[in-house]
Amino acid sequence: MAPPKNYNSIPAFHAKLQSARRILAVCGAGLSAASGLPTFRGPGGLWRNHQATDLATPEAFEDDPGLVWLFYAYRRHMALNVKPNPGHHALAALAEKVPGFLCLSQNVDGLHPRAGHPPEQLRLLHGSLFDIKCNACGWIQKDNYDDPFCPALAAAAEDVNPGETLPLLDPSKELADIPRQEIPPCPQCDRGLQRPGVVWFGEPLDEDMLNEVDSWIDEGEVDIVLVIGTSSQVYPAAGYAEQARGRETSVVTINLDAEDEVRRLRSNDFAFAGDAAVLLPKLLEPIIGTPVTDGTYA
Ligand code: BJW
Ligand code: ZN
């Protein structure tokens, strides 16, 4: 099928945006790529010969909690050492200007909150690298920024000179086993280990949060759904664009690969191919204005 006329026209999108009252965003790892964080399924999705997605399972943690913790301790270290990019700032500014904007993010890197996104307009579908929970009981600790998380994970917090490879990342270097006993135990029960507060494959997302998202979608017609930097392969996140689609809704894909989508677009839809950190400030400019310094908004 031919793509809709104007599917990649910024002025045509601006016309739709000017009258939009309810906007939903569904974000993925591509949003944080410009900050320097690797995506899951693209280049960099491999960590020491392991697919990043193979380490994101409760079975992998049961099998080798030390290895899974090293992966997450390294991700915490990287996330703490990068900054939110103009894409995160543009979404935070949109939230300030449009009360009917809700941002759903699959990203666990803490960059939306650090960009000042109002918490009531943000739902972190897959949790946060900076929450710690028990793998056996309901214990949870918010906002833990310890780096390294514990002494046994010190290798994940090493800094190297530019051009050098961190020994931890070099598959030709032997990785010391981290015994289970060196992972901090749960302070509340005598059975569990502390683990990252993220949602792994096969685990349920927070039920209250899912109910809130469903209620928000049901409250009225959603004018625009922004699908930003996600491969839309993981559910339930991948289902929200269609769930929120009404008669006049525009689903707007913002992705390096957006041109691959154009044959699937419906008549009101848009697709913008490129870096979300560059596109979002331009696409949202009629509402949020132009950035002041460092991609931030006044
Ligand atoms: C750029 C860019 C730039 C690059 N600018 N763009 C229905 C059908 C089939 C299966 C299921 C279903 N419902 C549920 C399932 C099972 C499963 C699932 O979805 N499987 C699929 C793989 C088929 N879902 C689950 O298990 C979920 N749980 C669940 O449903 O529970 C139900 C239940 C109920 C009751 C009891 C028990 C269970 C949980 C899913 C959790 C996913 N977790 C992870 C790890 C989180 C922790 C961590 O970060 O390590 O979440 S997996 C990983 O994938 C991570 C991500 O958030 C997620 C999505 O990845 P994302 O963000 O899309 O990244 P990429 O790399 O895939 O894509 C990046 C994109 O950016 C690309 O398109 C690039 O082109 C683009 N890009 N640079 C713009 N600069
Ligand atoms: Zn516990």
Side-chain angles (χ1 to χ4, degrees), residues 191-274:
R191 293 168 294 137
L193 292 181
Q194 297 187 25
R195 57 158 277 187
V198 299
V199 182
W200 285 327
F201 279 116
E203 295 187 320
L205 281 71
D206 183 89
E207 199 184 331
D208 291 343
M209 182 174 60
L210 294 183
N211 290 335
E212 278 170 27
V213 174
D214 287 343
S215 308
W216 187 92
I217 290 175
D218 290 344
E219 265 163 34
E221 171 98 0
V222 179
D223 303 299
I224 295 178
V225 184
L226 303 167
V227 180
I228 304 164
T230 174
S231 60
S232 295
Q233 291 186 32
V234 174
Y235 288 83
Y240 283 125
E242 287 313 314
Q243 186 181 329
R245 196 189 267 286
R247 280 197 19 204
E248 300 295 325
T249 308
S250 289
V251 174
V252 183
T253 304
I254 298 155
N255 192 303
L256 283 185
D257 296 339
E259 282 296 325
D260 300 351
E261 295 296 311
V262 296
R263 275 199 254 116
R264 280 193 280 269
L265 300 183
R266 308 267 198 92
S267 60
N268 294 324
D269 292 352
F270 293 89
F272 296 99

Side-chain angles (χ1 to χ4, degrees), residues 27-34 37-43 45 52-53 55-57 71-72 75 105-109 125-127 129 196-205 210 228-238 254-258 272-279:
C27 304
L31 173 63
S32 296
L37 299 179
T39 60
F40 285 88
R41 295 169 184 81
T53 44
L55 294 168
T57 69
F71 170 61
Y72 281 95
R75 303 248 316 272
S105 188
Q106 300 170 85
N107 298 346
V108 296
D109 52 32
L125 297 175
H126 295 164
L129 288 172
V198 299
V199 182
W200 285 327
F201 279 116
E203 295 187 320
L205 281 71
L210 294 183
I228 304 164
T230 174
S231 60
S232 295
Q233 291 186 32
V234 174
Y235 288 83
I254 298 155
N255 192 303
L256 283 185
D257 296 339
F272 296 99
D275 181 359
V278 175
L279 284 167

